[in-house]
Amino acid sequence: MSGNTQQLVLLGSGAREHALAWKLRQDGATVHVLPGNAGIAGSVPGISATDFPAIKSFCEAHGSTLIVVGPEAPLAAGVADYFLGSGIRVFGPRRQAATLESSKVWSKDFMRRHGIATARAWSYRSDQFAEAQAQAEALGGQVVVKYDGLAAGKGVYVCSSVAEATAALTELRELHEGWFSFLLEEKLTGPEVSLIGLTDGNRIRLLAPAQDHKQLLAGDQGPNTGGMGAYCPVPFLDDNALAAIRQDIIDPTLRGLQAEPFDFVGFLYFGVMLTPQGPKLLEYNVRLGDPEAEVLLPALESSLLELIEATLDGSLAQTITRQRPGAFVGVVLASGGYPAAQFPTGFPIHGIGQQTKGTHVFVGGVQPGQQPGELLTASGRVAVVVAHGPDLPTAVQLAYAEAEKVNFQDKYVRPDIGQRPAPLLETKAY
Ligand code: AMP
Ligand code: GLY
């Protein structure tokens, strides 16, 4: 291991990166966040997460030999390829492996090639809308339409009727110009869980199972967002369900990664739906989830820095991941109007720093104000307030009490994070 006080470069600028910076500092690293944001100590606002030459100069000037990547964009742009052989190690997959997230068609082909449990799907090019329409009708409109590319969470349409499927296909055609591909999937039902691990392609060390709340409004209503809150662990995910996920999804994924002509090193995220027919993989992400990371990192008792180094060294077998007992809940403080294309921002944020010990405010969509230390809202998801409790209901209560202390004009908080009714799972199928 290369010591625990190394200079580390972290790429990204959201609340997930704030949580990563906090955790890696706990582990003894000195963390520079490129570009970071006005609320994260050690941010370097002049260097974007995809400006590889500038990142390299920064690493050389600071003696940094490790880059941890938060978001998908630098990975899809090839940050791990750029630094190959440079003496600077990147924790994150190379561009080709990042296609598991950046292309839904490629990712679905990978799942098929390696026998991974997933929804049936049909892929089309942008000159095949008539075929896609016919297939959507054959499935009675119970389909999910997915644009093939990074779409910042806006490329997926979950449809419940032929009319909705037609509207989704029409919007897709209008939004994207030129040549593109898309996927039509059968619509599945069931609760979703996010399973995220660190993997070197041979082994994986899983963090706690988490659940995201993607829709804006209580009761999973309203438009999809980047995530309105998360919690971990997931009480209804019992050992049987976890064993089924390992057998049908995670183990074949690892076998697939070994069989493919690329190495995978980094975080791997499995978006899983627990359907009555067993667990099905909805998607891979090649990074930590956001807002899942904001609860998973406080919940992780083990050193993340040691886990990252062990993954890079191929010595994951010698590690264990210990989780803190109890439950962790993260509530997103959003700007009113989000996720519409436009809404007012620039409002002063009050109350950060008044939290009870053991709770966190991880900030994302913020900008500096005129006064030193002043933060203003800058985008949709402003901050995530995270609390820890002995059980989920207590952690929920604490998280909302802490969220009350942080205020700005037009603040919106979804009121039911961590309070989904326990799903009636067909456990027999698992
Ligand atoms: P994805 O980006 O592929 O994970 O899709 C975003 C969200 O759309 C998922 O978290 C699910 O809520 C929903 N979704 C995706 N695929 C399906 C599917 N086959 N059936 C039902 N819902 C889906
Ligand atoms: N929370 C889902 C994601 O990060 O994609």
Side-chain angles (χ1 to χ4, degrees), residues 16 101 194 212 214 226-227 269 283 285 287-292 381:
R16 167 183 50 206
E101 172 167 357
S194 308
D212 184 5
K214 288 196 171 109
Y269 171 125
E283 65 163 343
N285 292 319
R287 53 173 174 80
L288 280 170
D290 188 353
E292 289 94 329
R381 292 192 302 157

